[in-house]
Amino acid sequence: MHLNLPINRDKKSGTLYVVSTPIGNLEDITLRAIKTLKMVNLIAAENPTHTKKLCSHYEIGTRLTSYNQHNHKTSWPGLIERLNRGENIALVTCAGTPGISDPGALLIKMASENGICVTPVPGACAAIAALSVCGLKMDNFLFAGFLSNKSGKRKKELQELAAEEGTIIFYEAPHRIIQFLEQLYEAFGNRGIAVIRELTKVHEEVMRGHVKEILTIISQREPRGEYVIITEGSEKSKENETIPEKLEETIKNMLIDNISIKDIADSVAKNHNIRFRSAYREVLDLKRKMEEL
Ligand code: SAM
């Protein structure tokens, strides 16, 4: 087990403030965040040009430096050195909470390991804002963030998450949202979801429903903006669900007609409120039994 060093107050090192900034609406910033950004010696920003707009809006004159996913491995030592000298630094990203699908984790870890005080200045986070309006269970949730951008790997990641019982929060880029929902349907079945777009911005939208219907809506227009997808957790009781016996004959006939297992499972899942995964497994079993005869 790794124990962090206790904060050495005698060292007179500075503090690393982990500051949340707005995810769209510039007014979603706390009074303490503005005060902190004005008071620190330096702001380590994911994109200083972007953060400059926030700073000029709130008349924050503090100097900015860049800390992002491309330079974080080389720039953290310089920041730790400054903190060790007694300077205070605020860490911010382009939007929301640093470290949440954003740079920050390495600097925070190194500061903690060096006995530097690391303190949060909490505020906006797209995952939590989306969760708060999704209409699904909120008492037990898992933040999955961005899955892999490689389709095969993403499919595997979704299959691994399918049995998770808590509500799951995903981030996804607009150009991948349709493929993401298609893969979600294959792995999770027609589960309840909320697709939340452009929170706190002009085109804010919350779509609640089931994967298939939302997929149909989104497929009819060009997906734009920033998306959070939230799915219901897996219901244990549904895990062992089986296809009603009376359907078996129909399915056998569909198999004889050479309809694909995927298409049959899709239709069974949709029309009988069974998970696609379970339907697929059952249809496959039936096919194997037929082949054994
Ligand atoms: N650190 C940020 C946070 O605390 O939420 C997340 C940064 S991550 C690079 C960007 C992703 O967050 C977007 O692709 C989208 O999935 C989500 N996101 C950020 N702002 C959003 C907004 N206003 N509405 C919906 N999703 C948003």
Side-chain angles (χ1 to χ4, degrees), residues 196-207 221 224-227:
I196 295 138
R197 194 172 80 88
E198 294 287 272
L199 278 168
T200 78
K201 303 184 199 175
V202 180
H203 298 292
E204 178 177 293
E205 186 178 28
V206 182
M207 286 175 266
R221 56 190 195 194
R224 283 213 186 117
E226 299 199 272
Y227 284 87

Side-chain angles (χ1 to χ4, degrees), residues 162-182:
E164 167 64 38
E165 285 175 37
T167 300
I168 310 176
I169 308 171
F170 299 96
Y171 285 167
E172 190 49 285
H175 64 278
R176 272 197 299 267
I177 189 87
I178 292 174
Q179 197 192 26
F180 177 89
L181 291 175
E182 285 168 351

Side-chain angles (χ1 to χ4, degrees), residues 178-218:
I178 292 174
Q179 197 192 26
F180 177 89
L181 291 175
E182 285 168 351
Q183 290 186 318
L184 186 71
Y185 179 65
E186 277 191 28
F188 283 31
N190 204 16
R191 223 180 260 191
I193 60 167
V195 174
I196 295 138
R197 194 172 80 88
E198 294 287 272
L199 278 168
T200 78
K201 303 184 199 175
V202 180
H203 298 292
E204 178 177 293
E205 186 178 28
V206 182
M207 286 175 266
R208 302 182 187 90
H210 289 83
V211 186
K212 266 275 158 171
E213 56 185 306
I214 292 192
L215 189 51
T216 309
I217 298 168
I218 291 186

Side-chain angles (χ1 to χ4, degrees), residues 146-154 157 172 176 179:
F146 288 104
L147 298 187
S148 171
N149 55 15
K150 297 199 175 71
S151 166
K153 194 159 176 234
R154 188 166 60 238
E157 288 169 338
E172 190 49 285
R176 272 197 299 267
Q179 197 192 26

